[in-house]
């Protein structure tokens, strides 16, 4: 597998600028081109972060179109996949296409760029706080909760790999309720899980970015005080652009 080609140089303790945008939902008909936006983000930031739902239906062609658009990006790209990227059962092919395009695609791993640790995992559903779904009853419910717990454990293992003093956690699903506010309350349990926040709060984390809640809110924090940003393309951000700019 070729190494990601866009390199980042260590810069000591200077803050780095991260452009982050989730839920690109690239479609086969190529009506969703991100070429100009990738160029713009390359001028504005040091690193580009894409927290999942990169494709609309998880089709290999959608990933190829995204890879073509990413040629306009001149900064390192770090990403995780989202639920939509799993839809067509071609996740391996999609991952391979993106890695070939130079993307640091994280799924329970960490990568260090510009002296910042980037930790990525997709996450899963399950709900928030005391109302989280518990492992009780039918095997299907238990399997669902087990998947949620498993994603939190994979995040923990990835966090333990980080040696950098600053860490950005990249998720697709939300770790807190605050940043899904704005979505219909009926679907809150399908937008993320507090189990992710419980894991995050066991570590020192500079910030967390996620997507998935298209109608959610931009900013929140974990119970332990880690900053959380919903960077779904559709969410209104201080930049006034589809992407967030964070200093880490
Ligand atoms: Fe999405
Ligand atoms: Fe999603």
């Amino acid at each position: 597998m070729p190494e990601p080609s866009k390199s980042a140089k260590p810069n000591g303790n200077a803050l780095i600028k991260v452009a982050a945008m989730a839920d690109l939902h690239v479609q086969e008909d190529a009506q969703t081109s991100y070429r100009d936006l990738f160029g713009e983000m390359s001028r504005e930031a040091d690193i580009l972060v894409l927290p999942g739902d990169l494709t609309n239906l998880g089709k290999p062609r959608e990933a190829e179109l995204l890879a073509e658009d990413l040629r306009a990006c001149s900064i390192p790209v770090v990403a995780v996949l989202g639920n939509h990227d799993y839809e067509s059962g071609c996740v391996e092919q999609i991952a391979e296409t993106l890695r070939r395009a130079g993307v640091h695609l994280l799924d329970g791993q960490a990568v260090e760029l510009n002296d910042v640790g980037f930790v990525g995992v997709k996450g899963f559903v399950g709900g928030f706080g005391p109302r989280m779904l518990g492992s009780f009853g039918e095997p299907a419910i238990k399997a669902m909760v087990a998947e949620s717990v498993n994603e939190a454990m994979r995040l923990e293992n990835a966090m333990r790999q980080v040696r950098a003093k600053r860490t950005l956690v990249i998720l697709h699903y939300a770790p807190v309720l605050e940043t899904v506010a704005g979505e219909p309350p009926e679907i809150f349990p399908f937008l993320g899980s507090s189990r992710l926040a419980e894991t995050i709060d066991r570590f020192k984390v500079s910030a967390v970015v996620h997507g998935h809640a298209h109608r959610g809110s931009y900013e929140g924090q974990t119970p332990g005080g880690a900053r959380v940003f919903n960077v779904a393309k559709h969410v209104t951000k201080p930049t006034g652009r589809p992407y967030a700019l964070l200093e880490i």
Side-chain angles (χ1 to χ4, degrees), residues 23 25 51-53 82-85 172-173 211-214:
D23 300 277
H25 291 267
D53 281 359
N83 56 314
H84 277 248
D85 303 310
H172 181 61
Y173 286 88
H212 189 55
H214 294 193

Side-chain angles (χ1 to χ4, degrees), residues 20-199:
M21 181 174 71
D23 300 277
L24 282 68
H25 291 267
V26 170
Q27 296 181 38
E28 231 171 353
D29 58 15
Q31 279 181 4
T32 41
S33 174
Y34 288 95
R35 209 161 295 195
D36 292 347
L37 210 47
F38 288 150
E40 179 182 326
M41 289 189 277
S42 299
R43 292 189 292 278
E44 295 287 334
D46 304 301
I47 310 273
L48 171 60
V49 167
L50 304 174
D53 281 359
L54 310 178
T55 63
N56 195 42
L57 293 173
K59 293 183 176 178
R61 180 66 192 141
E62 294 172 337
E64 284 165 15
L65 288 168
L66 174 58
E68 282 169 26
D69 282 356
L70 279 170
R71 289 198 201 132
C73 183
S74 56
I75 54 176
V77 183
V78 189
V80 300
L81 297 179
N83 56 314
H84 277 248
D85 303 310
Y86 280 76
E87 171 58 16
S88 297
C90 302
V91 73
E92 305 267 313
Q93 219 176 318
I94 287 173
E96 177 62 22
T97 299
L98 295 175
R99 289 197 170 111
R100 241 185 245 275
V103 175
H104 297 272
L105 188 64
L106 302 178
D107 182 20
Q109 302 92 18
V111 63
E112 194 173 315
L113 300 163
N114 290 49
D115 297 315
V116 173
F118 293 82
V119 177
V121 67
K122 176 176 61 62
F124 198 55
V125 303
F128 301 96
R131 304 257 159 78
M132 257 193 308
L133 184 63
S135 185
F136 182 89
E138 301 93 320
I141 294 287
K142 288 178 179 165
M144 201 165 146
V145 174
E147 180 64 11
S148 192
V149 171
N150 188 43
E151 284 293 284
M153 286 193 301
R154 293 173 74 242
L155 173 60
E156 179 176 333
N157 288 339
M159 288 297 305
R160 293 192 193 286
Q161 296 169 22
V162 177
R163 295 289 167 263
K165 291 199 178 95
R166 291 168 287 164
T167 307
L168 178 70
V169 173
I170 309 166
L171 308 167
H172 181 61
Y173 286 88
V176 294
L177 190 61
E178 264 173 292
T179 50
V180 306
E183 293 277 6
E186 293 87 348
I187 67 166
F188 284 178
F190 313 126
L191 297 175
S193 164
S194 291
R195 294 180 203 277
L196 297 163
E198 287 166 8
T199 301

Side-chain angles (χ1 to χ4, degrees), residues 176 178-179 208 217-222 225-230:
V176 294
E178 264 173 292
T179 50
V208 183
S217 307
Y218 177 61
E219 196 167 354
Q221 60 174 31
T222 63
R227 298 180 299 159
V228 179
F229 300 96
N230 177 354

